[in-house]
Amino acid sequence: MATTTIGPTFKVLVVDDSNTIRRSAEIFLKQGGHEVLLADDGFDALAKINDYEPQVIFCDILMPKLDGYQTCAIIKRNPRFADTPVVMLSSKDGIFDKARGRMVGCQDYLTKPFTKDQLLQAVQQCAGLQQGSQ
């Protein structure tokens, strides 16, 4: 079977308190052929993760109530979702933020504003689709 540039469809959850970021991520991911779920904060995300079992999660760091680090840590503590890749989204590009994200178990880190290509590439990497490519 030949590999296409789009690849298989994945269930992707985007967690961000910004409606603009959620909507643009949704458009980019749907253009890439993925099924998209949206959550506007960490508590909303935790409920949706349990119900929909996304295969990749994009999570903003700076959110009210439950921030991205706390949300990621809670996801990773649940044995059902410990292996689900979490990609942190942030307007900050500091080494401390990236290190803190790794400490709570995130797989990758995207700086906002992100491009469609960056988002789709992160999904592919997290889903393990680039094992054979260089």
Side-chain angles (χ1 to χ4, degrees):
M1 190 191 267
T3 310
T4 64
T5 49
I6 290 183
T9 297
F10 292 102
K11 271 199 234 178
V12 182
L13 174 65
V14 178
V15 188
D16 200 303
D17 58 332
S18 161
N19 188 46
T20 308
I21 297 292
R22 283 196 314 272
R23 292 295 168 215
S24 43
E26 179 182 33
I27 290 164
F28 292 159
L29 291 164
K30 284 187 173 176
Q31 287 172 346
H34 302 293
E35 191 180 320
V36 184
L37 306 163
L38 302 173
D40 54 18
D41 65 38
F43 290 112
D44 187 24
L46 295 173
K48 288 183 175 168
I49 289 166
N50 206 39
D51 292 344
Y52 298 105
E53 300 185 13
Q55 292 158 291
V56 179
I57 300 165
F58 288 95
C59 187
D60 182 26
I61 292 175
L62 297 172
M63 296 185 292
K65 299 182 210 159
L66 203 58
D67 73 21
Y69 298 123
Q70 294 165 318
T71 304
C72 182
I74 292 168
I75 293 165
K76 294 299 180 177
R77 265 187 247 135
N78 183 328
R80 252 176 83 201
F81 305 110
D83 294 331
T84 303
V86 177
V87 178
M88 299 307 253
L89 299 174
S90 179
S91 47
K92 295 185 197 173
D93 193 18
I95 197 148
F96 174 77
D97 298 303
K98 290 182 180 181
R100 190 168 170 206
R102 294 265 185 232
M103 286 170 55
V104 294
C106 83
Q107 271 63 33
D108 205 351
Y109 191 100
L110 275 185
T111 306
K112 297 190 269 187
F114 44 79
T115 65
K116 176 182 170 182
D117 288 344
Q118 288 173 315
L119 206 59
L120 294 177
Q121 185 177 9
V123 171
Q124 286 187 328
Q125 285 174 336
C126 286
L129 294 177
Q130 296 187 336
Q131 299 155 351
S133 62
Q134 310 257 314

